[in-house]
Amino acid sequence: MTIHYPDGRSYRDDGQRQGESRSVDYGKRGMTLEEDLNVTNRYYLETDRAVIYKKPTPIQIARVDYPRRSAAKITEAYFRKASTTDYNGVYRGKYIDFEAKETTQPTSIPLKNFHSHQLAHMRRIKRHGGIGFIIVRFTRGGSVYLLDADYLDAAWTEGTNGGRKSIPLSLFQKHGYPIETHFAPRLDYLTAVDAAYF
Amino acid sequence: MTIHYPDGRSYRDDGQRQGESRSVDYGKRGMTLEEDLNVTNRYYLETDRAVIYKKPTPIQIARVDYPRRSAAKITEAYFRKASTTDYNGVYRGKYIDFEAKETTQPTSIPLKNFHSHQLAHMRRIKRHGGIGFIIVRFTRGGSVYLLDADYLDAAWTEGTNGGRKSIPLSLFQKHGYPIETHFAPRLDYLTAVDAAYF
């Protein structure tokens, strides 16, 4: 369920803020990347292919009322920045961890879509034997790619050392794995995971 | 940071509700199992032993104000029941997933501390090659155990078929792995994981 507020912003059932990377309408479906991934993960769960969830948005609670003992009501709270990536779970015996972003830029995704603590998190994941990657949708062309976290890491290092501040689409085309859109699973990223890691 | 409210209930920095299983003072430390695990996970992270986090508490947002564009303020929200376990991450290349509970009962933990969807989640985790267990603290005696999810599963099945509605301490003593308390790591559960799974 999506709740729409007078100012036009919307909040969804899963408590997820539609912030920073904004809701983008990319055709008939009109679904954000996050919505597509939620539907996909539910499908994977129901078909017993993997157990992967989006983590709840971390919220800083400042005040709570207790109108009734059984229903605490939060009356003041704020969104906090996540210190990890948004998605994790288990697939084919491996720990899976990823961050998903969409960009309206036609030929690259700006590095500012990611945060240094997310980079640090993905480095740790890989060091401990997990699978870490990003999923990026280029909303104009409609293409979606899986790219191993090492490439994000390399681009990040380059960017912080005075190099380019974005990852070009061409790098995704060369080193990434395209993710196909179907009816179900909507965004079949595990097939790309199969190709990339197994 | 812990925020105390006039009615004596308290909320912590991580947005976690101290609900159902209540904050229990079990001696000088006065730390809940959750607090001990958070400290422990931070230690594991800093010493690069594992990457394990507690998931944020899922919150259902009903209303948000925008006093300033940069600081959205949630003015009405409710706690939701988690559909998975509280903790997951990666350790020695394996996906790790667990739920932690404490009980004031001296010789058993009631099954009502767990939920059917958590059971279903743990079954899935194990089926996909992850490591799934529970950590239980018996606050009276102060003992803490790791118990593989299969034993919870068996006790659950027994309980729903008219059998006993709790897991006896003796089962933890026989099939579980004791978790020792230190200064750091506070609750060294990964050493129990080593003994149980590696």
Side-chain angles (χ1 to χ4, degrees), chain B residues 83-142:
Chain B
S83 55
T84 66
T85 48
D86 270 355
Y87 300 86
N88 76 357
V90 60
Y91 175 57
R92 293 178 67 174
K94 300 290 278 181
Y95 175 84
I96 302 282
D97 194 294
F98 64 97
E99 184 66 26
K101 295 287 178 193
E102 49 194 349
T103 181
T104 53
Q105 304 258 333
T107 59
S108 71
I109 178 164
L111 286 172
K112 67 172 170 0
N113 280 280
F114 304 94
H115 305 292
S116 62
H117 47 258
Q118 291 180 325
L119 266 289
H121 174 74
M122 288 198 215
R123 281 181 204 121
R124 282 189 200 108
I125 292 306
K126 300 206 72 167
R127 202 159 58 232
H128 288 275
I131 291 174
F133 54 87
I134 56 174
I135 291 178
V136 173
R137 169 139 61 196
F138 293 88
T139 56
R140 290 229 203 144

Side-chain angles (χ1 to χ4, degrees), chain A residues 59-64 73-78 80, chain B residues 1 3 5 11-17 57 59 79:
Chain A
I59 285 169
Q60 170 83 48
I61 297 167
R63 201 153 59 88
V64 184
K73 180 181 172 184
I74 299 160
T75 55
E76 185 182 349
Y78 302 91
R80 291 195 308 157
Chain B
M1 189 181 71
I3 301 164
Y5 294 96
Y11 277 79
R12 264 160 290 153
D13 216 5
D14 57 359
Q16 172 62 20
R17 177 169 51 157
T57 304
I59 285 169
F79 295 104

